[in-house]
Amino acid sequence: MQARLAELLESALQTVRDRGVIPADTPVEIQMERPREEGHGDFACNLAMRLAKAAGRPPREVAEALVAALPDAPEVAEVEVAGPGFINFHLAEWVFQAVVPEVLGAGERYGRGDAGAGERVQIEFVSANPTGPLHVGHGRGAAYGDALARVMRAAGYQVECEYYVNDAGRQMAILAASVMSRYRQQIHGAGEAFPDKGYQGDYIRDIAAQVRQRFGDGLDFDPGVLARYDDPEQAIDALIGEIRERIGTDTFAEVRGMALDHILGEIRADLDAFGVAFDTWAHEQAVVADGTVDRALAELRERGHLYEADGATWFRSSDFGDEKDRVVIRTDGAATYFANDIGYHRAKFHGDHDHLIDIWGADHHGYVARVKGAMQALGLDADRLEIQLVQFANLFRAGEKVAMSTRSGQYVTLRELVDEVGRDAARFIYVLRRSDQHMDFDLEVAKQETEDNPVYYIHYAHVRISSIHAKLAHSDQPEPSADELAAADTTLLKADKEARLLRKLQRYPETVATAAVGREPHRVARYLQELASEFHTFYNSHRVLIEETELMRARLALVEAVRQVLANGLGLLGVAAPERM
């Protein structure tokens, strides 16, 4: 409808140009928007205010000239000039009444569009280090990334989802050392030393038991090296060296691989239970092994963006907006995680995607400039890379904040959250707010069967509509067929609460498009809340199953359209639409 109104204004604009109201060569873009306040029309345009300077006339005078020049259109019931010069359009009621057969005809396809114009997009998200289980903090990124992918696909984008496995570098060595320390405790007793910077979750004991089953008790080492250092970081590095020397590089790599396989298997299972699927799984080890990182650094060096200082190799990231330069090769000759990330992103840029979206935790905000800067330094279009930051989710139980730390093993896993509150509640609550806003996840609210629980409130609307059909099936009145509902006389839907429902239904496709283009799936969640609220208000005021056959059929068609849109929207968020509760 925005396009149709813009077409009408374009015609009026040409007319006022021909009349000399504004200069013929004045550039202009017609933008339609929804008024913020009810009563200000269904759409509004500030075109007159943007033309006033060029016309040398007051905005209201320009607006009145445009309105007078508008061609007649059956879709438009009234046009008014408001405030300083807004042009407000009031649409004819039949425009909204026509949305019911449109929804029923499109079914699951209603709301899908072409805002993405087939653009090929890769979304990389979650990508949690494979050093422990996914916890509730990772859950928000998973819910946001998956919902964004679904919404963008519905808007016409071609989307690929990728998980980047950080399985190279120091953290994986710390993981292996943590496993070997628990392994030694299982042989010699719990009193054996354990590194302060080791991973301490129970899953480490499980992996250690697998290592012991695989190798027996022969992989012993001396943990006494830990006592020689006051700095826990130096201590864990020394322990890694001790273990690697005692058991051998190949065996150490095998232990690390066993730990990786175990944890990655758990991550995959948890994501599957959470309804999140990835098209590709990229591995940092592969990026290093196939020379991708070496090629990226060689190109940066050739372009003059690397230099040597203090025994290390540095990238001139300060030349590209970063606060300081960054090390890419340490003094020991090892590549940094940043260097590996440069290689990974360079490879993605040379892929067949038009646009790349990375979803990171908000604590990585300082990392944005250096990664985009590296792409720019490589001569690539850094604007193709878009970083979406997701704030951490604070978990509350009985009013108390739950402390979480992956390293210490104190956290609530995503699996535990889903088991406690259910997948639907978890996913919906995660995406209800903008991803860059802090959120508090209240476990008690998520389990309530009241309107305070947002997903319950929407589920209840869907179930209520299903119950109407059940009641009709047990009544003396015949249930209309799908074709009869699609042909229902929706001009009978004249009551205020019916009209509000119709207007809300008509907004769904533009909500999906706006959410996709803005990378804001929370807009769909908010829309569903509003649609459910309008439905409950209607349902509490008007009976659907009435004696008047034609009006009953029209109302049945209306609520079926509501049910369809609720199901479509919930599907875009990865949430089920139950028939009963």
Side-chain angles (χ1 to χ4, degrees):
M1 184 53 64
Q2 292 98 316
R4 171 60 175 154
L5 297 178
E7 179 183 295
L8 296 174
L9 275 173
E10 185 64 52
S11 175
L13 182 59
Q14 186 58 50
T15 299
V16 298
R17 279 174 174 154
D18 294 342
R19 294 173 181 172
V21 176
I22 62 171
D25 59 350
T26 303
V28 66
E29 179 183 359
I30 298 175
Q31 300 172 337
M32 306 300 304
E33 60 183 26
R34 294 283 189 176
R36 294 183 179 180
E37 297 183 27
E38 290 189 26
H40 288 192
D42 298 300
F43 289 95
C45 183
N46 65 354
L47 176 62
M49 289 180 282
R50 290 186 287 115
L51 290 173
K53 184 176 180 180
R57 300 167 184 260
R60 283 190 65 92
E61 185 177 327
V62 176
E64 288 164 357
L66 286 167
V67 170
L70 281 169
D72 291 334
E75 302 95 333
V76 180
E78 179 186 358
V79 186
E80 62 181 358
V81 177
F86 284 102
I87 300 174
N88 293 344
F89 290 85
H90 297 261
L91 300 181
E93 286 303 313
W94 70 262
V95 172
F96 301 104
Q97 293 162 348
V99 76
V100 172
E102 182 182 355
V103 173
L104 298 182
E108 293 180 356
R109 301 186 309 280
Y110 183 71
R112 296 184 174 273
D114 59 359
E119 181 179 344
R120 296 164 299 178
V121 178
Q122 183 198 78
I123 305 178
E124 183 247 305
F125 62 105
V126 183
S127 299
N129 289 338
T131 53
L134 296 179
H135 54 61
V136 295
H138 300 128
R140 189 177 189 190
Y144 169 73
D146 187 64
L148 178 60
R150 292 168 184 256
V151 169
M152 291 185 72
R153 288 189 183 108
Y157 294 86
Q158 296 181 46
V159 180
E160 174 192 85
C161 294
E162 178 161 285
Y163 190 116
Y164 181 49
V165 183
N166 302 125
D167 53 3
R170 181 170 178 264
Q171 292 306 314
M172 295 305 296
I174 292 175
L175 174 65
S178 303
V179 170
M180 290 306 300
S181 295
R182 291 299 186 204
Y183 164 88
R184 197 173 192 282
Q185 286 182 343
Q186 291 176 3
I187 296 172
H188 299 286
E192 291 295 310
F194 190 87
D196 290 340
K197 290 296 181 179
Y199 292 99
Q200 301 186 38
D202 288 341
Y203 65 97
I204 297 295
R205 292 183 172 86
D206 295 337
I207 301 170
Q210 294 174 11
V211 171
R212 192 178 182 192
Q213 184 178 21
R214 164 73 175 85
F215 292 101
D217 295 346
L219 303 183
D220 212 350
F221 61 93
D222 182 5
V225 67
L226 291 172
R228 300 175 198 164
Y229 296 89
D230 294 328
D231 183 347
E233 296 290 355
Q234 291 180 333
I236 188 73
D237 286 340
L239 181 64
I240 291 169
E242 164 69 18
I243 296 173
R244 186 181 276 119
E245 181 178 348
R246 290 295 183 94
I247 72 175
T249 300
D250 291 344
T251 302
F252 187 85
E254 187 171 350
V255 170
R256 183 179 57 194
M258 291 176 67
L260 171 65
D261 291 345
H262 177 92
I263 294 172
L264 203 55
E266 293 295 301
I267 287 175
R268 286 176 180 267
D270 289 351
L271 288 170
D272 183 64
F274 200 49
V276 176
F278 289 90
D279 301 296
T280 57
W281 292 71
H283 289 259
E284 186 182 4
Q285 288 189 76
V287 171
V288 174
D290 68 6
T292 297
V293 177
D294 292 338
R295 287 190 293 273
L297 295 183
E299 186 174 347
L300 285 175
R301 188 180 300 279
E302 183 180 338
R303 289 173 175 268
H305 299 303
L306 299 186
Y307 66 92
E308 313 299 323
D310 302 323
T313 302
W314 300 69
F315 167 57
R316 301 181 192 276
S317 53
S318 60
D319 289 349
F320 301 94
D322 198 3
E323 59 185 3
K324 61 181 181 180
D325 294 346
R326 305 291 174 173
V327 174
V328 290
I329 302 293
R330 298 189 184 95
T331 55
D332 62 1
T336 62
Y337 175 79
F338 176 46
N340 293 349
D341 230 16
I342 292 173
Y344 168 61
H345 281 90
R346 178 184 179 275
K348 294 210 296 184
F349 267 83
H350 287 287
D352 60 358
H353 300 100
D354 301 309
H355 205 65
L356 303 167
I357 300 175
D358 284 3
I359 298 174
W360 298 346
D363 56 335
H364 287 72
H365 66 92
Y367 203 64
V368 176
R370 73 193 71 159
V371 172
K372 291 182 72 97
M375 298 304 102
Q376 186 178 347
L378 288 166
L380 301 169
D381 180 8
D383 289 339
R384 286 176 58 202
L385 175 62
E386 176 184 326
I387 311 297
Q388 293 291 329
L389 298 178
V390 177
Q391 286 287 352
F392 193 75
N394 297 313
L395 191 67
F396 285 81
R397 187 191 301 277
E400 296 292 329
K401 185 177 178 180
V402 180
M404 286 183 285
S405 168
T406 303
R407 183 66 63 88
S408 68
Q410 294 180 337
Y411 48 76
V412 175
T413 66
L414 181 60
R415 182 177 302 181
E416 290 170 336
L417 178 69
V418 171
D419 288 344
E420 183 167 353
V421 307
R423 183 173 83 179
D424 289 341
R427 288 192 60 134
F428 192 87
I429 292 173
Y430 272 135
V431 299
L432 190 53
R433 296 175 66 86
R434 286 177 56 97
S435 63
D436 59 357
Q437 292 181 343
H438 287 279
M439 73 167 296
D440 295 335
F441 195 118
D442 191 317
L443 288 167
E444 306 310 318
V445 170
K447 292 185 288 186
Q448 289 178 6
E449 294 187 355
T450 69
E451 64 182 43
D452 292 332
N453 180 344
V455 73
Y456 178 86
Y457 190 62
I458 296 167
H459 276 171
Y460 186 41
H462 191 270
V463 169
R464 264 186 158 179
I465 296 170
S466 299
S467 71
I468 293 173
H469 291 283
K471 290 177 183 177
L472 183 60
H474 290 87
S475 71
D476 296 332
Q477 297 170 295
E479 183 168 3
S481 65
D483 289 341
E484 289 173 327
L485 286 181
D489 184 3
T490 55
T491 63
L492 299 174
L493 302 173
K494 299 176 181 179
D496 176 66
K497 292 177 176 59
E498 293 169 335
R500 292 179 66 88
L501 258 183
L502 290 168
R503 280 167 166 76
K504 184 59 65 176
L505 287 172
Q506 200 238 14
R507 288 193 176 206
Y508 179 67
E510 71 185 73
T511 299
V512 174
T514 301
V517 173
R519 319 308 191 225
E520 298 176 325
H522 74 275
R523 289 183 178 272
V524 176
R526 294 292 190 188
Y527 169 88
L528 293 174
Q529 282 188 305
E530 294 166 4
L531 179 60
S533 178
E534 294 288 1
F535 168 74
H536 288 305
T537 300
F538 159 80
Y539 186 87
N540 293 332
S541 301
H542 298 285
R543 291 179 56 209
V544 176
L545 303 182
I546 56 179
E547 295 297 327
E548 192 175 344
T549 303
E550 292 303 317
L551 180 56
M552 181 189 75
R553 188 171 295 175
R555 285 180 176 171
L556 281 170
L558 173 61
V559 298
E560 176 58 23
V562 172
R563 187 207 63 76
Q564 183 67 66
V565 172
L566 287 173
N568 290 359
L570 288 170
L572 294 187
L573 304 180
V575 177
E579 299 292 327
R580 59 181 62 86
M581 298 173 72

